[in-house]
Amino acid sequence: KMEKATKEAFINMKAEAAKSNINIEVVSSYRSFQRQKEIFEGKYRRFTKAGLSPIEALKKIIEYSTIPGTSRHHWGTDLDLIDANAPRPKDVLLPENFHGQGPYCNLKNWLNDNANTFGFYEVYTDNGNRKGFKYEPWHYSYAPISKPMLEQFRGKNIMRLIQEQELLGSEHFTAGFLRSYIVNNILDINPDLL
């Protein structure tokens, strides 16, 4: 599922990429609160079972995964992309797949040169000064819709929204942890998306 204008722009971008023998495949787009909760809680269980403290587990989760209710994927404007024409590794969403000799290097180079023309921007860049989520060379957002969505989201009391969720491990969400999460994970993104 995708937001309507996002889908139209994606279809146009996909058609253009096909001219360069790149078959852009969406491996994740819209993600419901429930699905994000399953991902979040599954990681929390796995990390605490492996011996991490609850706080360590939460910090590990938010290296790549959002707290449910705060995911950009909830908007239907954000896409995780790979090249269906390339050999598919076991774990497709790893940065090394998009650089060096990785199978998605051609896709990444094409996106670097062309995605912005279609309104898509990489969200979590490899800028060394950026904090929050780790670099995700596969995650693109359709700016004409996601920018106003983020603006609306920022107008809400995000800390209270997070605290109201009944999530496994949420009793360990301190005010400091949540403030840091909002500033670093939600707002420290590609400036073209702010």
Side-chain angles (χ1 to χ4, degrees):
K1 297 178 184 179
M2 284 182 230
E3 183 278 329
K4 184 179 178 184
T6 303
K7 184 175 183 179
E8 290 172 9
F10 172 74
I11 289 168
N12 292 333
M13 183 170 74
K14 182 177 174 70
E16 188 63 27
K19 295 175 185 175
S20 298
N21 196 34
I22 293 170
N23 182 8
I24 302 178
E25 177 183 340
V26 177
V27 293
S28 183
S29 58
Y30 170 77
R31 195 176 301 144
S32 70
F33 175 88
Q34 185 58 38
R35 178 64 186 125
Q36 191 66 36
K37 183 178 181 191
E38 291 167 3
I39 292 169
F40 183 89
E41 291 184 343
K43 287 184 177 185
Y44 184 82
R45 282 186 198 93
R46 189 168 69 246
F47 294 151
T48 54
K49 190 175 187 179
L52 294 181
S53 73
I55 297 297
E56 290 170 331
L58 292 172
K59 288 179 180 177
K60 180 89 173 142
I61 291 167
I62 64 169
E63 288 179 0
Y64 284 107
S65 296
T66 59
I67 295 172
T70 67
S71 176
R72 296 178 62 90
H73 283 285
H74 292 335
W75 306 339
T77 59
D78 285 50
L79 312 173
D80 293 341
L81 306 173
I82 63 169
D83 183 357
N85 287 345
R88 194 179 194 112
K90 181 180 179 215
D91 294 321
V92 294
L93 299 181
L94 295 175
E96 56 266 26
N97 292 334
F98 294 80
H99 298 285
Q101 299 299 312
Y104 305 133
C105 288
N106 289 341
L107 167 67
K108 181 65 177 137
N109 291 334
W110 191 91
L111 290 170
N112 287 346
D113 294 339
N114 300 285
N116 299 4
T117 305
F118 297 92
F120 288 94
Y121 291 82
E122 187 178 68
V123 181
Y124 307 114
T125 64
D126 64 350
N127 178 333
N129 295 320
R130 193 181 59 74
K131 297 173 182 65
F133 295 117
K134 290 194 174 184
Y135 172 49
E136 293 187 355
W138 55 82
H139 186 156
Y140 281 77
S141 184
Y142 185 58
I145 303 296
S146 69
K147 285 173 75 170
M149 297 283 272
L150 179 60
E151 190 62 33
Q152 286 181 3
F153 188 65
R154 289 177 76 175
K156 299 182 182 301
N157 184 333
I158 300 170
M159 191 174 296
R160 190 179 80 226
L161 290 172
I162 295 171
Q163 289 171 327
E164 290 173 352
Q165 306 304 326
E166 293 184 18
L167 302 169
L168 195 59
S170 63
E171 67 273 16
H172 302 285
F173 290 167
T174 64
F177 173 83
L178 292 177
R179 272 194 297 278
S180 175
Y181 175 78
I182 292 165
V183 169
N184 295 326
N185 294 68
I186 295 175
L187 300 177
D188 196 1
I189 59 173
N190 184 338
D192 291 322
L193 292 168
L194 292 172

